[in-house]
Each structure stands twice: as C-alpha cells, then as structure tokens.
Amino acid sequence: MREVVIIGAGLTGLTTAFHLKKRELDFVVFEQANRAGGVIHSVSENGFLYEEGPNSGVISNAEVLHLFEDLGADCEMEVAASAVKKRYVLKNGKWEALPGGLKSAVITPLFSLKDKFRILLEPFRPKGKDPHETLAGLVRRRLGKSFLNYAIDPFIIGVYAGDPGRLVPKYALPKLYQLEQQYGSFIGGSIKKQFQPKTEEMKKVTRCVFSVKGGLSVLIDGLVKHIGNERILLNSSKITVKPIADHFEVSYLNNQGEPISIEARKVISTVGAHQLDQIMPFIDSVSLAKIGSLHYTKVLEVIVGFKEWKGMNLDAFGGLIPFVEKRDLLGALFMSALFKDRAPEGGALFSIFMGGVRRQDIYQLPDDEVQKIVGMEFCDLMKVTDFQPELFKIIRHPYAIPQYEADSGERFSTIVAIEQKYPGLVIGGNLRDGIGMADRILQGKKLSDVV
Ligand SMILES: Cc1cc2nc3c(=O)[nH]c(=O)nc-3n(C[C@H](O)[C@H](O)[C@H](O)COP(=O)(O)OP(=O)(O)OC[C@H]3O[C@@H](n4cnc5c(N)ncnc54)[C@H](O)[C@@H]3O)c2cc1C
C-alpha cells in the first residue's frame, strides 16, 4: 500500500513528487516513457544547445522562484537577456517592434489611427455579459480590429499556437477576463492594480522570461535527483486505476513487461486529457468524453542553427507572425540572443513554430516540404541570402497545447464531480489550471497540498 501514486513524470508530476518528497511522504511516480520530463527535452549537438519542447517560461507566480531556490545549486535559473526584451510582429512583410510604452504605442504602424483614438474610450465601454465570449470578440469590442490582429493574435500564436476566435478568455486568459469583469476596463483595471499594495510574494512575480543554465532538462534532472530515481518508475505501460472501497488498485506492466498491481490511498493523474480514458476506465463514458474532447493543437517545432550568422540583427526576443499576414510560419524565437551558450560564438540558434490551430494543414506536410518552406520563409524574414544551416531539426508535437475553448467550464465541473465521487482521486495536468510551465509548477505544488 502506497500513500500516493502519481501518473506522469512531466513537469507537473515531478513538481508534485518534489513537494511530497520534501514532506517525507510515501509516493511513487509512474511514467510510460523511458525518461522523465514529458515534453521538456534539451539536446546538445554540434555546438548548439536546443530545446525540443518548451523553450522558456515566464515568472508568473512565486512558486517558480521557490522551486529554483529549493533545488539550489542543482539548477541555475537563467533570466533572458534584458537587451532583447523587444518582440517583433510582422506587418506587411516587415518586422515592427511591439510597443513597450505610450510614445511607441502612439507612433507604431501596427495599429490603425482609428483604433489608437478608439482606445482612449476603452475605460468607458460597457462590460461584456457573455462568459463564453471569444477572445477575438472581447478584444474587437474593447480595443478594435487592429489591436486584435497585430497585438492579441500574435500573442495568442506565441502562447497557445491558438485562434483568438476560439479561445474563451474566462478560461484561457482569466486575468484579462477578470480585468474587465472586476474593473470594467483593461486600462483602468491595470492602472488600479498597479497602485494596489503588493505583498513580498507578489513583488517576486516579475513576469521575466526564464530558462535554465544548460537547458530546461537541467531542471528535470534537478527534480529527479531530489525525488530519487528509485521513486520514478520509467517504462511503466498499460497503467489502469480501479477504485476499491476507500483506496485504489493501480495495475501496470513494469519495465520488464511483467504485470504488477499495487494499492494506493491517493492517485494523482498529470497526463493529458486524451490519455485519461485508458488510465481510468471506471469513470463513466459521458464524463470521460467531456474531458477527452479537450482540443490539443498540433505544432511543428523547427530548430535552425548557424555556426556563422550573417542575417538580420538579432536584437529581440523573437518575431511573431499574425494570421492576417498569411505566412507559413507562426513565429521564431531568437534563442541564442535570449540565452547564453546556445550556439557557437558568432553563430545563431532559432526555434521556429509552424502549424497551430489555424494551420493544421502544415503539420501534415512531409519533412522535405517543411524544410523547403522554412528555407524560403527564413531567407525572406531573417535576411539570409543562402539557407545552409549547420543544424536543422523538425520535431512534431501531435498533442502540443490544450486550447481552453467554450467547453472548458463543463470540463472543469466534470473533473470536480469525479473527484468528489472518488475521494483520493485527483485529476491534474494541463487539462486545467493553465498551459505554461509556471502554471504547471504552481499546479504541482497545489496537487501536493491536497495530500
Ligand atoms: C512545443 C511546445 C512548446 C511549448 N512552449 C512553452 C513555452 O515556451 N513556455 C511555457 O511556459 N510553456 C510551453 N509549453 C507548455 C509546457 O511545456 C507544458 O505546459 C508543460 O511542460 C507540461 O508539463 P506536464 O507535466 O503537464 O505534461 P507533459 O510534459 O505532457 O507530461 C506528461 C507525462 O505523462 C506521461 N504519460 C502520459 N500518459 C501516460 C500513461 N498512460 N502512463 C504513464 N505516463 C503517461 C507522458 O509520457 C509525460 O511524461 C510548450 C509545450 C509544447 C508542447
């Protein structure tokens, strides 16, 4: 009999396990893959250090900092270089910096003159009444079409690889939704919030972009080291959970393919919504369907590295491409400008994203066609005359980013109902509570607190 079984050794499951270990509780983590980390995976190759999954996180809650403090010397946070805070957005085939202040907001060509004047009236616009209004609807109503197309749309592409016409702010961007609901205005609400007293914990939330010295896998290695290898059962397949009286039976095939059953008082799942029906067949099919219908978008991540960079000046975080620009790339992160030691001296490393909710057609293309498209787009956008990178990798993520759309509310209440029906069962993971790494770290802490 184990006290806790955690399913999934991605960032969420490992953070949960880390906190249980800190409290010296009894637990074991089941992972079907042959390594921990889930979608996080850093690779060193040919003088480049690249990420196959997420590239960076945002310090959007203090738990992120606490985790790094706890991990100590095993894992050193690297905050993105402040010199490259700028974010480019493509308009009419030209990179334009997203405004960072009032003056640049007035002169930027990204937004129309009409919308720049219109924004002065934003605080006086009535509050939305439809909790399922899409993000596109909300932004068009409060800020105007050009803000939607050239500020919110690229932001959503960068975070969700998503479509503002489908995401619902109540679930996908709850802080933005609350600004309107609580204060009646984005501008008025932001100003009022700035003057509110901040606790020490709130002051730590800098929203800085971070990675880890040596790549994000160093964070995973640090977590694994603190948790203990013996508590993470890699290559565990066909895991199924069955409730028995006041506890659970967990059956699986171990790394030798032998069937094993153990009992546990609590089970914490951190797997994706599409994997839940295999693990928990005892849940009624209607509830499983409501959870499993979560829309995950497919994303292509293309890593491009040059040993000698001869293209445009990499003075930004990266560039995002609004949907209205009708290009085949979603955007590119200038990784070697953001973090140290990502490319050989004088070289450059990029993470390029393709696909997403509105370009699923791109995901289906074979690798040689993807390479052709990237070569053409890259030469044009990054001012490269000859596309001969020393590093070129295509990584396909079939279940990349969950999209919190209009059906999210029903999904969340279904999860709560299941957890109430089966005390001791906790359903976590990126199917709720946010999609970013910082959200996962925060959820991992909360999941551990339930025990
Ligand atoms: C391409 C991409 C880019 C991203 N970019 C960013 C970014 O720049 N910034 C940011 O903050 N976030 C980003 N994210 C999101 C972030 O990476 C994720 O939110 C986070 O890493 C997810 O962690 P997780 O543990 O919840 O899920 P996962 O990493 O998916 O881990 C789940 C684990 O469960 C295991 N598992 C699944 N089914 C079973 C089963 N039946 N039995 C046992 N084990 C099972 C899986 O093998 C996996 O190890 C990105 C995600 C992707 C895919």
Side-chain angles (χ1 to χ4, degrees), residues 115-127:
D115 283 347
K116 285 179 192 170
F117 279 111
R118 230 180 140 253
I119 204 166
L120 298 172
L121 296 174
E122 192 274 338
F124 308 103
R125 295 215 167 87
K127 221 194 273 191

PDB file of all heavy atoms in Angstrom, residues 115-127:
ATOM      1  N   ASP A 115      -8.105  53.056 -34.340  1.00  0.00           N
ATOM      2  CA  ASP A 115      -8.059  52.277 -33.091  1.00  0.00           C
ATOM      3  C   ASP A 115      -7.239  52.982 -32.016  1.00  0.00           C
ATOM      4  O   ASP A 115      -7.506  52.827 -30.825  1.00  0.00           O
ATOM      5  CB  ASP A 115      -7.510  50.870 -33.352  1.00  0.00           C
ATOM      6  CG  ASP A 115      -8.552  49.970 -34.005  1.00  0.00           C
ATOM      7  OD1 ASP A 115      -9.735  50.365 -34.021  1.00  0.00           O
ATOM      8  OD2 ASP A 115      -8.188  48.891 -34.509  1.00  0.00           O
ATOM      9  N   LYS A 116      -6.214  53.747 -32.444  1.00  0.00           N
ATOM     10  CA  LYS A 116      -5.409  54.474 -31.449  1.00  0.00           C
ATOM     11  C   LYS A 116      -6.281  55.518 -30.740  1.00  0.00           C
ATOM     12  O   LYS A 116      -6.158  55.727 -29.542  1.00  0.00           O
ATOM     13  CB  LYS A 116      -4.204  55.145 -32.119  1.00  0.00           C
ATOM     14  CG  LYS A 116      -3.101  54.155 -32.492  1.00  0.00           C
ATOM     15  CD  LYS A 116      -1.947  54.878 -33.162  1.00  0.00           C
ATOM     16  CE  LYS A 116      -0.984  53.900 -33.787  1.00  0.00           C
ATOM     17  NZ  LYS A 116       0.020  54.521 -34.639  1.00  0.00           N
ATOM     18  N   PHE A 117      -7.175  56.158 -31.507  1.00  0.00           N
ATOM     19  CA  PHE A 117      -8.092  57.122 -30.873  1.00  0.00           C
ATOM     20  C   PHE A 117      -9.163  56.392 -30.067  1.00  0.00           C
ATOM     21  O   PHE A 117      -9.528  56.788 -28.969  1.00  0.00           O
ATOM     22  CB  PHE A 117      -8.763  58.008 -31.941  1.00  0.00           C
ATOM     23  CG  PHE A 117      -7.881  59.144 -32.380  1.00  0.00           C
ATOM     24  CD1 PHE A 117      -7.342  59.173 -33.647  1.00  0.00           C
ATOM     25  CD2 PHE A 117      -7.573  60.182 -31.496  1.00  0.00           C
ATOM     26  CE1 PHE A 117      -6.512  60.205 -34.049  1.00  0.00           C
ATOM     27  CE2 PHE A 117      -6.740  61.223 -31.885  1.00  0.00           C
ATOM     28  CZ  PHE A 117      -6.210  61.234 -33.169  1.00  0.00           C
ATOM     29  N   ARG A 118      -9.616  55.287 -30.645  1.00  0.00           N
ATOM     30  CA  ARG A 118     -10.692  54.499 -30.031  1.00  0.00           C
ATOM     31  C   ARG A 118     -10.303  54.008 -28.639  1.00  0.00           C
ATOM     32  O   ARG A 118     -11.126  53.908 -27.737  1.00  0.00           O
ATOM     33  CB  ARG A 118     -10.966  53.277 -30.934  1.00  0.00           C
ATOM     34  CG  ARG A 118     -12.406  53.091 -31.276  1.00  0.00           C
ATOM     35  CD  ARG A 118     -12.585  51.877 -32.157  1.00  0.00           C
ATOM     36  NE  ARG A 118     -13.785  51.179 -31.740  1.00  0.00           N
ATOM     37  CZ  ARG A 118     -13.780  50.035 -31.077  1.00  0.00           C
ATOM     38  NH1 ARG A 118     -12.675  49.441 -30.787  1.00  0.00           N
ATOM     39  NH2 ARG A 118     -14.928  49.490 -30.709  1.00  0.00           N
ATOM     40  N   ILE A 119      -8.994  53.737 -28.479  1.00  0.00           N
ATOM     41  CA  ILE A 119      -8.550  53.149 -27.213  1.00  0.00           C
ATOM     42  C   ILE A 119      -8.736  54.131 -26.052  1.00  0.00           C
ATOM     43  O   ILE A 119      -8.888  53.730 -24.896  1.00  0.00           O
ATOM     44  CB  ILE A 119      -7.086  52.658 -27.317  1.00  0.00           C
ATOM     45  CG1 ILE A 119      -6.857  51.571 -26.275  1.00  0.00           C
ATOM     46  CG2 ILE A 119      -6.083  53.762 -27.175  1.00  0.00           C
ATOM     47  CD1 ILE A 119      -5.600  50.789 -26.476  1.00  0.00           C
ATOM     48  N   LEU A 120      -8.777  55.432 -26.376  1.00  0.00           N
ATOM     49  CA  LEU A 120      -8.989  56.431 -25.312  1.00  0.00           C
ATOM     50  C   LEU A 120     -10.351  56.245 -24.649  1.00  0.00           C
ATOM     51  O   LEU A 120     -10.556  56.611 -23.491  1.00  0.00           O
ATOM     52  CB  LEU A 120      -8.888  57.848 -25.895  1.00  0.00           C
ATOM     53  CG  LEU A 120      -7.526  58.216 -26.506  1.00  0.00           C
ATOM     54  CD1 LEU A 120      -7.589  59.554 -27.215  1.00  0.00           C
ATOM     55  CD2 LEU A 120      -6.451  58.242 -25.419  1.00  0.00           C
ATOM     56  N   LEU A 121     -11.269  55.653 -25.391  1.00  0.00           N
ATOM     57  CA  LEU A 121     -12.622  55.458 -24.844  1.00  0.00           C
ATOM     58  C   LEU A 121     -12.805  54.074 -24.202  1.00  0.00           C
ATOM     59  O   LEU A 121     -13.872  53.754 -23.702  1.00  0.00           O
ATOM     60  CB  LEU A 121     -13.661  55.633 -25.957  1.00  0.00           C
ATOM     61  CG  LEU A 121     -13.723  57.026 -26.577  1.00  0.00           C
ATOM     62  CD1 LEU A 121     -14.684  57.043 -27.755  1.00  0.00           C
ATOM     63  CD2 LEU A 121     -14.146  58.059 -25.539  1.00  0.00           C
ATOM     64  N   GLU A 122     -11.730  53.255 -24.215  1.00  0.00           N
ATOM     65  CA  GLU A 122     -11.842  51.886 -23.685  1.00  0.00           C
ATOM     66  C   GLU A 122     -12.410  51.845 -22.260  1.00  0.00           C
ATOM     67  O   GLU A 122     -13.296  51.042 -21.967  1.00  0.00           O
ATOM     68  CB  GLU A 122     -10.460  51.195 -23.752  1.00  0.00           C
ATOM     69  CG  GLU A 122     -10.480  49.694 -23.497  1.00  0.00           C
ATOM     70  CD  GLU A 122     -10.416  49.275 -22.037  1.00  0.00           C
ATOM     71  OE1 GLU A 122      -9.945  50.056 -21.195  1.00  0.00           O
ATOM     72  OE2 GLU A 122     -10.849  48.159 -21.729  1.00  0.00           O
ATOM     73  N   PRO A 123     -11.934  52.727 -21.359  1.00  0.00           N
ATOM     74  CA  PRO A 123     -12.455  52.657 -19.987  1.00  0.00           C
ATOM     75  C   PRO A 123     -13.962  52.906 -19.895  1.00  0.00           C
ATOM     76  O   PRO A 123     -14.579  52.572 -18.879  1.00  0.00           O
ATOM     77  CB  PRO A 123     -11.678  53.757 -19.253  1.00  0.00           C
ATOM     78  CG  PRO A 123     -10.443  53.972 -20.072  1.00  0.00           C
ATOM     79  CD  PRO A 123     -10.862  53.726 -21.486  1.00  0.00           C
ATOM     80  N   PHE A 124     -14.548  53.511 -20.938  1.00  0.00           N
ATOM     81  CA  PHE A 124     -15.974  53.864 -20.857  1.00  0.00           C
ATOM     82  C   PHE A 124     -16.880  52.856 -21.562  1.00  0.00           C
ATOM     83  O   PHE A 124     -18.094  53.013 -21.592  1.00  0.00           O
ATOM     84  CB  PHE A 124     -16.189  55.274 -21.434  1.00  0.00           C
ATOM     85  CG  PHE A 124     -15.254  56.272 -20.809  1.00  0.00           C
ATOM     86  CD1 PHE A 124     -14.123  56.720 -21.484  1.00  0.00           C
ATOM     87  CD2 PHE A 124     -15.466  56.719 -19.504  1.00  0.00           C
ATOM     88  CE1 PHE A 124     -13.236  57.608 -20.897  1.00  0.00           C
ATOM     89  CE2 PHE A 124     -14.586  57.605 -18.900  1.00  0.00           C
ATOM     90  CZ  PHE A 124     -13.460  58.048 -19.593  1.00  0.00           C
ATOM     91  N   ARG A 125     -16.281  51.830 -22.150  1.00  0.00           N
ATOM     92  CA  ARG A 125     -17.109  50.829 -22.860  1.00  0.00           C
ATOM     93  C   ARG A 125     -17.764  49.903 -21.847  1.00  0.00           C
ATOM     94  O   ARG A 125     -17.155  49.542 -20.830  1.00  0.00           O
ATOM     95  CB  ARG A 125     -16.262  49.989 -23.811  1.00  0.00           C
ATOM     96  CG  ARG A 125     -15.696  50.828 -24.898  1.00  0.00           C
ATOM     97  CD  ARG A 125     -15.583  50.158 -26.232  1.00  0.00           C
ATOM     98  NE  ARG A 125     -15.316  51.255 -27.148  1.00  0.00           N
ATOM     99  CZ  ARG A 125     -14.088  51.718 -27.398  1.00  0.00           C
ATOM    100  NH1 ARG A 125     -13.040  51.122 -26.892  1.00  0.00           N
ATOM    101  NH2 ARG A 125     -13.924  52.770 -28.169  1.00  0.00           N
ATOM    102  N   PRO A 126     -19.010  49.477 -22.127  1.00  0.00           N
ATOM    103  CA  PRO A 126     -19.695  48.599 -21.163  1.00  0.00           C
ATOM    104  C   PRO A 126     -19.028  47.235 -21.043  1.00  0.00           C
ATOM    105  O   PRO A 126     -18.377  46.770 -21.970  1.00  0.00           O
ATOM    106  CB  PRO A 126     -21.112  48.477 -21.745  1.00  0.00           C
ATOM    107  CG  PRO A 126     -21.016  48.932 -23.155  1.00  0.00           C
ATOM    108  CD  PRO A 126     -19.834  49.827 -23.292  1.00  0.00           C
ATOM    109  N   LYS A 127     -19.224  46.656 -19.889  1.00  0.00           N
ATOM    110  CA  LYS A 127     -18.673  45.330 -19.585  1.00  0.00           C
ATOM    111  C   LYS A 127     -19.368  44.248 -20.405  1.00  0.00           C
ATOM    112  O   LYS A 127     -20.577  44.331 -20.615  1.00  0.00           O
ATOM    113  CB  LYS A 127     -19.000  45.083 -18.110  1.00  0.00           C
ATOM    114  CG  LYS A 127     -17.911  44.432 -17.320  1.00  0.00           C
ATOM    115  CD  LYS A 127     -18.446  43.947 -16.010  1.00  0.00           C
ATOM    116  CE  LYS A 127     -18.427  44.981 -14.912  1.00  0.00           C
ATOM    117  NZ  LYS A 127     -18.715  44.410 -13.595  1.00  0.00           N
TER     118      LYS A 127
END
